[in-house]
Amino acid sequence: MGLDLVGFSSRVLPTSVGYAADRRHSRGGAAASHGFLAWRSHPRAALKDGVVCSTEDGGRAESTLCVSAPSEDASRTGGVAADLGRDIADGITASQASSAGRKKGGRLWRRPPGGDKPARAPRRAPVRKDPQVRRVLVNNPDVNAILSGVSRESSIEECNSVLIRLEKHSDVKALDFFVWMKANGKLERNADAYRLALQAIAWKEDWRRAELLLHEMVAVSGCRLDARAFNGLMYVCAKRRLADWGTKWFHVMLEREVQPNVSTFGMLMGLYQKTGSLKEAEFAFAKMRECNVKCVNAYSAMITLYTRSRLFDKSEEVITLMKDDGVVPNMENWLVQLNAYSQQGKMEEAELVLQSMEDGGVSPNVVACNTVITGYGKVSEMQKAKEVFHRLESSGLAPDETTYRSMIEGFGRADKHQEAISYYKKLKSSGFQPNASNFYTMINLIARHDDSESAAEILRDMRAAGCQCSSIVTILVRAYGTVGRMHKVLPILQSCFYKKVLYDATSCSILVTTFVQNSLLEEALCVLREKKWKDSDFEDNLYHILICSCKEAGSYEDAVRIYSQMPESRTHPNLRICCTMIDVFSIMERFTDAETLYLELKASACVLDMIAYSVIVRMYNKAGRPEDACSVLEDMDKQKEIVPDKYLFLDMLRTYQKCGLLEKLTDTYYRILKSEVECDEAMYNCIINCCGPAIPVDELSRIFDEMIQLGHLASTVTLNVLLDIYGKAGLFNRAEKVFSMARKQGLADTISYNTIIAAYAQSGNYRSMNYFVQKMQDAGFPVSLEAYNCMLNAYGKSGQLEEFSAVLQKMRRARCDFDHYTYNIMMNIYGRKGWIEGVAYVLSELKSRGVEPDLYSYNTLIKAYGIAGMPEDAVKLMQEMRIKGINADRVTYTNLIAALQRNENFLEAVKWSLWMKQTGVVGVGARP
C-alpha cells in the first residue's frame, strides 16, 4: 500500500457502500473497485456520468467508483449531487433493496431513471456485518438534501460542513464522502476532515487504518498533528472501555510530541476510572501535571481510583495536589472528595469539604448528604448522621431511597434496633423498596435482639420483593445461627411462608442441614417428615449429607436416628449411605449392626466399589476379625476392575500382617510397585513394618534407602522392625547404622535398645551386647526386663553361669518383676545342669508370686525332670496340665518321651508316642 492510499479498503468499511462492477482492461474502459480505492498517479479527478475519472489522462484505464447506472441527461452539477447521493444512500438501503427487489433466480433488477427497459444492477460484494459500526438509517431524500449544494467547485469549508452533517447520520456515508473529497483535492491542509474520518474509523476499531491515516495526514496532506486528531480516537476508546488502545494512542501522542489538552486527559482518565487501570492512570496523571494541564475530571478520577483501591493516603495526596495546583473543584469533584473522607471514617474532614462546597456557592445536594450519612454510619456515629438527615429535610430537599438505605445500614452497624426499624418503615412509607443489603442488615439486627415478630415481617417483605425461598432461608439461618438462636428459626418460618419451604427441596435441605449442624435433631426430623417435594435422588443425597455431618461432629446416635427415619428404598440400598453407616457402627463398636448392613449390601443388587470394600475391611479389623477382612479382600480380588487406592493398600497390608499371610504381603507389595499409587511417608513406613519379614532383605534395604532419599522420615516402629530383621539376618553393620539414625533423630526407645541387645545376645556377641546395655543406661533408659532376659538366656545357654548369676543379682537389686519368660529361662538353665533343687526353688518362687506355670513352663519342667532322672514326676506334670486345662503341644510330648527313654522306660515312651499320634497334635511349642 502506498502512502497515497488514504488508508481505506474493503477491510476498512463494509463492501455494501458501493456496487462491484467488472474490471475492464480495454481502452476507455473503467475498472470498478470494491469499496474505496485511491489513485496513484492522478492528483485531480472528477465525477463524470457517475464515474470518478482522471482529469489529466483521457484515454487510459482509470480507477472508478461505480455506484449506479448513469443517467444520460443528467447535468454536470445535478448529476454529481444525484449520483453521489444515490451512492451514499444506496450504501445503507442496499439490504432493503436486495430483499425487496429480488426476483426469480436470485437476481436484482432495477429500472434506470431515464430508460424504459429494466437494467440489471451490478452485483454487490458480500455484506459483512459489523456490530461495532454505528448505523443510522438515512433516506435518499435526506442524503440528496445534504449533497444538493456540493460540487467540485465547492470550497473546503462547504465540503467540511457536508462531511460534518453526514457524520452525524452515518460513519459509512461520511467516509464515502471523505473519499470523494480526497479525489477532488479537498483534503490538502484540511485537518478538520481528517479528524472526522479518524473518529469514523475508530468506531470500526480499525486501528491499523487509523495509524495509516495519521501518517497520510502529515506526509501527504501537509496537516499538523494536534490533540484534536487523537481525541477522536480517545473518545471512541473511552466510550467502549478500550483501555489498552487508549493507552497506546496516548503514547503515540507523546512519541510524536503532540501536546495533550484538557479533553485528552479528561477522556483518558475517565476511561481508566471505568476500567480500574490504576498504574496507567498514575502515569497519565503525572504527565498531565508535567504539561501544566488542569483537568478537574482527571483529579476526580485519580481520587476515585485510589479510594476504590483503599489507598486513602494517596487519595488525600491528590486532594492536596489539587489545592496546590489551584484547580477549582466542580460538583463531581466535591462529591469525590467527600467519598474519599467518608469511606475511611474521617468525618471532620468530610464536614470541612461540605462546608467548602457551601462557601463556594455550591448548595449541598442529596448525593452529598447521602455520602456524609454513609460515612457517619461506617463509624457508628448515628446521632450526627441524623443531624445531616434533618439538615437535608430542613433545606427543602427530599430524602431519596439511598438516604433511607444508608440510615438503615448505619443503625444496623451501630446495633440500634428500634431506630433501624423506624427508618425501615419510613423507607417503605415513602414508596421506596429495601435492597438486598437492607434485608440482610435487618435480619441480622433482629436476630441479635430476638425480635421474632419483626423478623416475620421482614421475611414477608423479602418474599414480596421476589427473593427466592432458598436465599431467604440461607440469610435467616446464618443470622440466627451466629447469635446461637437457631431454635427460633422454625417458629419464625411457620408464621410466614413455611409451606413454601416444604415444597422447595433446596430450602428444605438448607434448613435441615443447619439444624443438624446445630444439634437440633428434632427440628430437622420434623421438617423431613413434613416435606412435600418428591425427588428420591436428591433425598438420598440429603440424608447422606446429614449422616456425614453427624459423623464428623461425633454425634453418632443422631446419625443412627436420621438413618432410621430414612424411607425404605424401592430398588436397592444406597451404597454411600450404607458405607457411612457401617463406618459409624464401627466407631460405636456395634459391629453386629455394621455386619448386618454389609450382608444386606452383599445380598442386594449393589455392586461394591473400592470405597465400600475399604470401609468393610476396616470394620472387620476394628472388630478384631482380620480373617473376615481377608475374606472380604478375596471377594474384592474377583472384581478385576477395582483398583485399590493408597488407603485400601494400607488396610490390605495391615490385614495380611495380622493374619501372618506372608505370601499375600509379598503379592501386595509388588502390586503396589506396579500401580500408579504414589508412595508417601505413611506408605513407606507401612510397607517396611508389614512386608519386612515377607520380602528379601536386599529389597527391604532398597525401599528404605529410597524412602530416605526422598526426604521421608522413618517412624520408631519402622526403625525397630529394621533392627529386628537386620539383627536376625546377622547384618549388624546395617543394624548399627539404623540404630545410629534412630538416636540422631531422637526416635530410639526402649524397644530399639531391647531389639539390638537381643540380636547381639542371640549371636553370642556378649561384648556388643553389654556395650548397648551401657548405652541404654547412658541414654536415660533403665535396663528393661526384656534386656535382662536376653542376657540371662544368652549366658545360660552358653554355660557362663557366673555371668548368669551376676545378671540375676542385678535384676534383684533393680527389683525387677520377673515374668514367665524369666522363670522359664531359669528353670531351663537349671534343668540342663540337672540342678533339680534350683528348678524346684524357681517353681516355688513362681507360685509364691501368685503366678501359675504356663505351657512353656511345663515343657521346661518335664525336660528338667527327664535330665534329673525323675520320669515319674514328669508324667505327673502331664496329669497336672490336664487338670488345669493346659493343652500339651508337640514339644510337651517330645520332652516327655525323651525323659522316659532317657530313664529306660521304653514301653511307657511308646504309649505316649501312640497317644500323641491319636490326639493329632501338630503344633510346635516355642522353647524358652
Side-chain angles (χ1 to χ4, degrees), residues 472-489:
I472 298 173
V473 171
T474 300
I475 295 173
L476 186 66
V477 298
R478 285 182 180 175
Y480 278 84
T482 303
V483 298
R485 293 194 175 102
M486 273 300 300
H487 60 283
K488 296 293 185 80
V489 170

Side-chain angles (χ1 to χ4, degrees), residues 622-873:
K622 286 182 181 178
R625 296 164 59 182
E627 296 81 6
D628 293 323
C630 287
S631 176
V632 173
L633 291 175
E634 289 179 2
D635 293 340
M636 184 190 73
D637 289 338
K638 296 176 183 177
Q639 298 184 31
K640 302 300 182 182
E641 68 277 5
I642 293 182
V643 179
D645 64 355
K646 179 182 71 175
Y647 303 101
L648 183 53
F649 272 129
L650 293 175
D651 289 332
M652 292 168 66
L653 291 175
R654 294 179 184 125
T655 302
Y656 292 142
Q657 182 197 31
K658 290 177 182 178
C659 295
L661 301 175
L662 299 182
E663 186 177 350
K664 287 286 187 181
L665 284 170
T666 303
D667 294 341
T668 305
Y669 167 71
Y670 288 109
R671 187 176 177 185
I672 292 172
L673 294 183
K674 294 178 182 178
S675 70
E676 297 181 357
V677 173
E678 182 178 356
C679 288
D680 57 4
E681 188 172 298
M683 178 64 79
Y684 277 112
N685 280 292
C686 186
I687 287 174
I688 294 173
N689 296 343
C690 299
C691 301
I695 61 178
V697 176
D698 291 340
E699 180 66 17
L700 183 66
S701 298
R702 186 197 67 79
I703 199 72
F704 177 68
D705 293 339
E706 180 181 302
M707 173 185 178
I708 300 302
Q709 290 172 2
L710 291 174
H712 299 306
L713 296 177
S715 65
T716 300
V717 176
T718 300
L719 295 174
N720 290 342
V721 169
L722 288 168
L723 284 173
D724 183 57
I725 293 173
Y726 288 152
K728 290 178 179 178
L731 302 172
F732 294 108
N733 289 335
R734 295 184 185 180
E736 290 194 12
K737 287 181 181 178
V738 172
F739 185 81
S740 177
M741 179 186 297
R743 287 190 61 192
K744 288 179 181 179
Q745 296 177 1
L747 299 176
D749 59 0
T750 303
I751 298 175
S752 306
Y753 285 97
N754 291 339
T755 304
I756 197 165
I757 289 170
Y760 280 116
Q762 290 175 2
S763 67
N765 190 342
Y766 306 116
R767 182 177 179 180
S768 296
M769 177 185 73
N770 289 321
Y771 171 80
F772 280 102
V773 170
Q774 186 61 44
K775 284 288 185 183
M776 185 177 189
Q777 292 176 312
D778 295 342
F781 295 105
V783 181
S784 62
L785 178 62
E786 290 78 10
Y788 278 125
N789 287 340
C790 292
M791 296 166 68
L792 280 177
N793 191 43
Y795 284 133
K797 288 184 176 179
S798 64
Q800 301 182 41
L801 297 183
E802 290 182 5
E803 287 78 0
F804 180 86
S805 300
V807 173
L808 274 178
Q809 293 300 322
K810 289 180 182 179
M811 293 176 70
R812 295 184 191 278
R813 284 197 300 268
R815 296 181 179 180
C816 290
D817 291 330
F818 294 0
D819 60 1
H820 270 109
Y821 189 50
T822 310
Y823 288 112
N824 291 340
I825 291 171
M826 293 169 65
M827 287 188 289
N828 183 42
I829 299 304
Y830 294 151
R832 286 186 176 186
K833 295 296 183 181
W835 298 346
I836 197 62
E837 294 82 2
V839 173
Y841 174 79
V842 173
L843 183 60
S844 62
E845 184 178 348
L846 175 66
K847 292 182 178 180
S848 67
R849 292 178 178 269
V851 180
E852 290 294 330
D854 60 2
L855 174 62
Y856 306 112
S857 302
Y858 280 112
N859 290 345
T860 302
L861 287 171
I862 291 171
K863 183 178 181 180
Y865 283 137
I867 295 173
M870 301 168 63
E872 295 81 4
D873 293 331

Side-chain angles (χ1 to χ4, degrees), residues 17-170:
V17 170
Y19 296 126
D22 295 333
R23 183 180 300 272
R24 300 184 183 91
H25 297 281
S26 58
R27 181 174 299 180
S33 66
H34 294 268
F36 298 106
L37 286 176
W39 293 261
R40 291 186 178 274
S41 56
H42 307 300
R44 298 289 294 170
L47 283 170
K48 181 179 179 181
D49 295 334
V51 179
V52 182
C53 303
S54 171
T55 58
E56 297 181 0
D57 191 355
R60 305 175 69 89
E62 310 97 341
S63 296
T64 63
L65 179 63
C66 297
V67 294
S68 62
S71 174
E72 295 179 359
D73 58 351
S75 64
R76 177 172 294 276
T77 303
V80 171
D83 292 341
L84 187 56
R86 281 196 299 272
D87 169 27
I88 298 175
D90 289 343
I92 290 179
T93 59
S95 59
Q96 299 173 351
S98 297
S99 59
R102 186 165 291 137
K103 301 298 181 179
K104 60 183 178 179
R107 296 180 178 178
L108 182 65
W109 295 86
R110 182 180 56 189
R111 185 179 299 277
D116 297 329
K117 296 183 180 180
R120 192 187 331 178
R123 292 179 298 171
R124 291 183 182 271
V127 178
R128 180 170 60 90
K129 295 183 179 180
D130 188 353
Q132 296 180 340
V133 177
R134 298 180 302 167
R135 292 185 181 275
V136 181
L137 288 179
V138 183
N139 296 325
N140 286 336
D142 297 333
V143 177
N144 290 330
I146 295 173
L147 298 173
S148 60
V150 67
S151 66
R152 293 193 310 273
E153 288 75 20
S154 298
S155 66
I156 291 178
E157 289 75 12
E158 291 174 338
C159 292
N160 285 353
S161 176
V162 171
L163 184 63
I164 292 171
R165 294 172 64 190
L166 287 175
E167 194 272 337
K168 292 179 180 179
H169 287 286
S170 169

Side-chain angles (χ1 to χ4, degrees), residues 35 217 259 265 325 347 362 381 398 431 470 474 528 631 636 664 682 691 783-784 786:
M217 179 179 176
Q259 175 76 15
F265 287 111
D325 295 343
M347 300 313 299
V362 179
E381 294 184 10
S470 57
T474 300
L528 288 173
S631 176
M636 184 190 73
K664 287 286 187 181
C691 301
V783 181
S784 62
E786 290 78 10

Side-chain angles (χ1 to χ4, degrees), residues 188-200:
E188 187 170 355
R189 301 188 181 280
N190 188 355
D192 292 334
Y194 276 101
R195 293 185 197 111
L196 290 169
L198 280 170
Q199 184 165 327

Side-chain angles (χ1 to χ4, degrees), residues 909-920:
V910 171
K911 290 180 180 179
W912 281 105
S913 178
L914 293 173
W915 176 254
M916 181 181 69
K917 292 180 180 179
Q918 290 178 0
T919 55

